[in-house]
Amino acid sequence: MSTAEHLNEEQFTAATFSGRHAMVLAGAGTGKTRTIIARASYLIEQGVHPSKIQVLTFTKKAANEIVERVKSKLPESTALNLRGSTFHSWCNQLIVRYPNLFGASAYTVIDQDDQLSIMKMVCGELQGNFNELRIKPQKLIDLYSFARNTRSNLTGAIEKLLFKDRTDKETEYEISVQKPHIEAILKAYQQKKGSSKYLDYDDLLLAVATQLQSNPEAREILSGDLEHLLVDEMQDTNPLQWELLKPFSDICHLYCVGDDAQSIYSFRGADFRNI
């Protein structure tokens, strides 16, 4: 069996797991990616159709590498329809496939340059608020995204991102002064996105996560579309990504691989406690 090739006993046990859900913990250099590749190969060898398997990771390059390495382990065309994506691209694919289901049928996805252009426009329109801040438009975008990805309130996001978790009286005062201006700008930015029917990358995750949590029809449809969800580098997921993943424990087999001592994306809200 090709799955067994080049695997040690622990990797083989993880790759051939037969239960419903698994969280595979392993340290640096122990072959976590090799294990998730072996897992996908094993599932296909066991008769799971490749199109029913979705691999998620954090870069397009990593996703493509995993898919190509699975294909190289199996007979030609066996894994042709295996899917590997980043979280954002996968949610975009789901929205394109089921636009009415996720309430985004007439929306346009905008990139980071578009986001910055819209924010600069809003800052110009709310110059009175903007001039009271010593914050660049890009930092406001970062703050907006951080709050959404960490599912934190604006005060907490400002404290974390702008004041590095300081909690002294001077910091509290500075936050109380800045927050109303920041709040006004971010609300206007959100409204401008909505009126223009734009979705940013975070909106993609929110749209899918919200529907999966609240809409049984969405969960039922995806349960017919997906049997196994394989997540690499689980320690780097943030609270919003966990909101997206959690409903899949009722939809399909959830298989996550990670190292809780190796998180590198705390600056964007990654939370190893998701493990």
Side-chain angles (χ1 to χ4, degrees):
M1 184 171 62
S2 62
T3 300
E5 294 176 8
H6 310 301
L7 297 182
N8 61 33
E9 183 179 350
E10 290 83 1
Q11 291 166 345
F12 181 80
T13 299
T16 58
F17 172 75
S18 60
R20 175 101 174 135
H21 307 304
M23 177 68 246
V24 181
L25 286 175
T30 56
K32 293 190 296 297
T33 301
R34 181 187 301 169
T35 301
I36 208 166
I37 289 165
R39 176 64 174 173
S41 303
Y42 172 76
L43 292 172
I44 294 169
E45 289 172 335
Q46 294 302 300
V48 179
H49 196 279
S51 66
K52 300 289 187 179
I53 303 170
Q54 174 69 52
V55 178
L56 288 181
T57 190
F58 283 88
T59 67
K60 183 178 179 181
K61 180 181 178 182
N64 290 341
E65 180 184 344
I66 288 172
V67 169
E68 290 307 313
R69 286 175 63 181
V70 172
K71 289 178 178 179
S72 72
K73 287 180 173 294
L74 298 172
E76 189 175 357
S77 300
T78 305
L80 193 60
N81 296 315
L82 179 65
R83 299 172 295 188
S85 312
T86 63
F87 283 82
H88 297 100
S89 65
W90 181 48
C91 287
N92 189 38
Q93 291 161 24
L94 290 175
I95 288 171
V96 169
R97 195 179 311 158
Y98 306 112
N100 295 320
L101 184 65
F102 296 111
S105 57
Y107 281 76
T108 300
V109 179
I110 58 173
D111 63 18
Q112 292 170 327
D113 290 337
D114 296 324
Q115 280 186 282
L116 184 57
S117 296
I118 296 168
M119 181 59 80
K120 286 179 177 178
M121 194 182 308
V122 169
C123 290
E125 292 170 357
L126 297 182
Q127 204 162 35
N129 295 99
F130 182 62
N131 288 343
E132 292 296 322
L133 301 171
R134 297 183 299 278
I135 304 173
K136 293 182 178 180
Q138 181 59 58
K139 197 67 174 178
L140 289 166
I141 290 284
D142 294 342
L143 182 63
Y144 175 75
S145 180
F146 184 85
R148 300 169 93 206
N149 277 280
T150 57
R151 315 308 284 146
S152 57
N153 59 37
L154 183 57
T155 299
I158 293 171
E159 184 180 285
K160 183 81 173 178
L161 204 64
L162 301 185
F163 292 92
K164 312 302 180 187
D165 284 326
R166 295 201 307 270
T167 56
D168 56 86
K169 292 294 184 183
E170 185 179 345
T171 298
E172 288 180 12
Y173 174 73
E174 281 294 319
I175 291 175
S176 71
V177 170
Q178 292 189 24
K179 182 184 172 183
H181 302 295
I182 294 173
E183 192 168 31
I185 291 171
L186 297 189
K187 280 184 176 179
Y189 171 78
Q190 177 76 16
Q191 289 167 355
K192 189 170 286 291
K193 272 197 311 166
S195 63
S196 303
K197 290 193 173 296
Y198 291 149
L199 292 176
D200 62 31
Y201 292 159
D202 296 334
D203 291 324
L204 298 175
L205 271 65
L206 277 166
V208 176
T210 300
Q211 283 300 309
L212 288 176
Q213 288 176 3
S214 61
N215 187 347
E217 181 189 2
R219 295 193 293 273
E220 185 177 348
I221 288 173
L222 287 192
S223 69
D225 191 47
L226 189 65
E227 291 181 20
H228 294 269
L229 183 58
L230 279 54
V231 184
D232 197 17
E233 306 293 359
M234 182 65 183
Q235 76 279 353
D236 289 325
T237 56
N238 60 42
L240 174 56
Q241 288 162 335
W242 175 240
E243 283 189 15
L244 172 68
L245 291 175
K246 189 175 181 181
F248 284 94
S249 62
D250 296 322
I251 293 170
C252 65
H253 297 269
L254 188 57
Y255 186 91
C256 305
V257 177
D259 175 5
D260 56 356
Q262 205 182 352
S263 180
I264 61 172
Y265 288 119
S266 59
F267 68 90
R268 69 171 189 202
D271 191 340
F272 68 89
R273 290 175 296 183
N274 286 351
I275 285 178

